[in-house]
Amino acid sequence: MTIDTMGTPDPNASAPTRPDNGSALDVPSIKADFPILSNRIDPPLVFLDSAASSQKPTAVLDAMRHYYEYDHANVHRAAYDLAEAATNALESARAKVAGFIGATDPAEIIFTKNATESINLVARSWGAANLGEGDAVLLTQLEHHADIVPWQQLAAEKGFEIRWIPLTADAQLDLSDLDRMLDGVKLVGLTAMSNVVGTLTPVRHITEAAHTAGAVVCLDACQSVPHTPTDVSELDVDFMVFSGHKMCGPTGIGVLWGRRHLLEDMPPFLGGGGMILDVRLDGFVPADLPAKFEAGTPPIAEAVGLGAAVDYLEAIGMEVVREHEIRLTAYAMRSLTERLGDDLTIHGPAEPDLRGGVLSFAYRDIHPHDLSQVLNSYGVCVRPGHHCAKPLMRCLGVGATARASWYIYNDTDDIDALAAAIEASGDFFSP
Amino acid sequence: MSDLEDLYREIILDHYRSPRNRGELAVPPASRAEGFNPLCGDEIVVYLQLDDPAKGDEAVVQDIAIGGQGCSISQSSASMMSAAAKGHTVAEVRELSSAFKSMMSVHEDELGGTVAGAPEDADLSALGDLAALRGVVQFPVRIKCATLAWNTLAEVLAQAGVATSE
């Protein structure tokens, strides 16, 4: 199963279902892997903000602690065993991340500080070398600001045009004019899944059209890699970015995957130690991949944590994760609608299998910020605001939404707690 | 829930549901400024009409109008601010703003005046309805909601040519 075929999950792939919540996941035992869920108990934590950042399992925390207690030194260019152990830890994590997304060459995995930096790397390196007046970049109106602003910054310097794929009424991409929009486009910036409304985009379809038009595709996979099986060769994209902290890993590490030949042709992004082969008074020679794009001491412990997160998710199985989230999304859309009726507005696609585990909603005329404040008093963590997607907010015709998002440690009890807290907010604001 | 009831006092919800001085003024002669809360997307537009900007601190707020959209805290703060400012001199509005920001534990000097004293020194009685917003201090992330209108007021005063009090 890939991002493109998620809409039709193979029924034969389903694991035996649990009678209580219909999920193939043993959520109570997964909850026990996440210390924060049992450390905050008054009120019990109902964490529904994983689209912003996920919680961390003990396995990740232990791996990072073990690294610092047993293996830490700076990486590369040292003869002692400890530095070799640290280097091995970093490179082992790189190989795990490569395997997790179906990349055959670990040197195509660049560690950055977050997905935002990964996109800025593509813009400032590939973009600056390849885009100029008369060129165009095609983005979608679903994009996060991280996939908008770097291109706007570069366009202001280079004079290329930015075009926007519009949305349908239910916040899906309107591709009716795609071929015409691609004329003259050199790069397509595309989210795999909206962080606001959960819309899954037809990545493979757009990639084929983009390649036919001679454009490269940079996929923002921040919301899809943590939640669904991902294979860069099936998606056929040219660059893909995601962050560690949304997939059970630590903050401070992001990933850029790119095709080797593209990365090799690109100039370095940040300059400094570690990214050179040679430095002379009159210039420098950049290092080979991936070091060329990793100036300075890399986030070593964070890479170790991300590697442990990959192990943790692979042990569960990404097919199982995706299936669990479709079930939970279907349950949430059905039960919230039944319970709250016409007072509830859910933004985005109506079909649960056309979306990830993200629900942006409005309740009566209560402002999302006020709604979230009341939910907080019940321990229910949702995020209000524009979710770094103001162009999408304007398409939806709202200034802000309240957003609930789930992950492997959420179950129907969490959804029920959300529904009860929303009802209570209604009693509070309009008794 | 007691903290919540302290945050959402009835008078706040009343101003949210029935905002005062809602609308626009013709620019010119009025001045206009926009304020944004980049975190939550709240927007406030303040229109201000002074009787005579040349009078400086003694100029009177002849009319004020509020536009924009946002949460109950930002919108009620704007509504109460407009009601409190209308008919008062620029100097009085500055004092009101200082007292309000002091209640919010905000001590910067954005209106050009000097904010002196700790929050407990502030005279809440001078704030009238606005004192109902004091519960916001217990919710630090909401302080920016409450002060958005006031920061926008400082901008519109500058637009109107009465930026500094000296």
Side-chain angles (χ1 to χ4, degrees), chain A residues 1 6-9 200 319-333 352-357 406:
Chain A
M1 194 159 57
M6 279 186 311
T8 53
L200 296 162
E319 305 267 356
V320 175
V321 172
R322 173 61 187 152
E323 188 199 346
H324 169 71
E325 291 186 9
I326 293 176
R327 287 175 192 273
L328 207 51
T329 303
Y331 177 83
M333 295 178 80
D353 54 3
L354 294 180
R355 56 197 300 159
W406 29 89

Side-chain angles (χ1 to χ4, degrees), chain B residues 43-127:
Chain B
E43 300 173 12
I44 297 273
V45 187
V46 179
Y47 299 87
L48 182 81
Q49 177 66 57
L50 298 175
D51 65 338
D52 179 7
K55 286 156 70 181
D57 272 9
E58 294 313 308
V60 172
V61 176
Q62 243 178 8
D63 204 356
I64 184 168
I66 305 291
Q69 50 83 26
C71 69
S72 61
I73 302 300
S74 69
Q75 300 300 304
S76 66
S77 181
S79 171
M80 288 190 246
M81 177 188 82
S82 72
K86 201 166 175 174
H88 289 266
T89 65
V90 168
E92 288 167 338
V93 169
R94 278 211 185 88
E95 275 177 34
L96 189 68
S97 179
S98 293
F100 183 79
K101 289 195 171 181
S102 183
M103 182 175 80
M104 291 290 128
S105 303
V106 177
H107 295 281
E108 72 261 29
D109 197 11
E110 289 176 72
L111 287 189
T114 306
V115 181
E120 49 270 27
D121 296 334
D123 183 2
L124 293 186
S125 65
L127 287 167

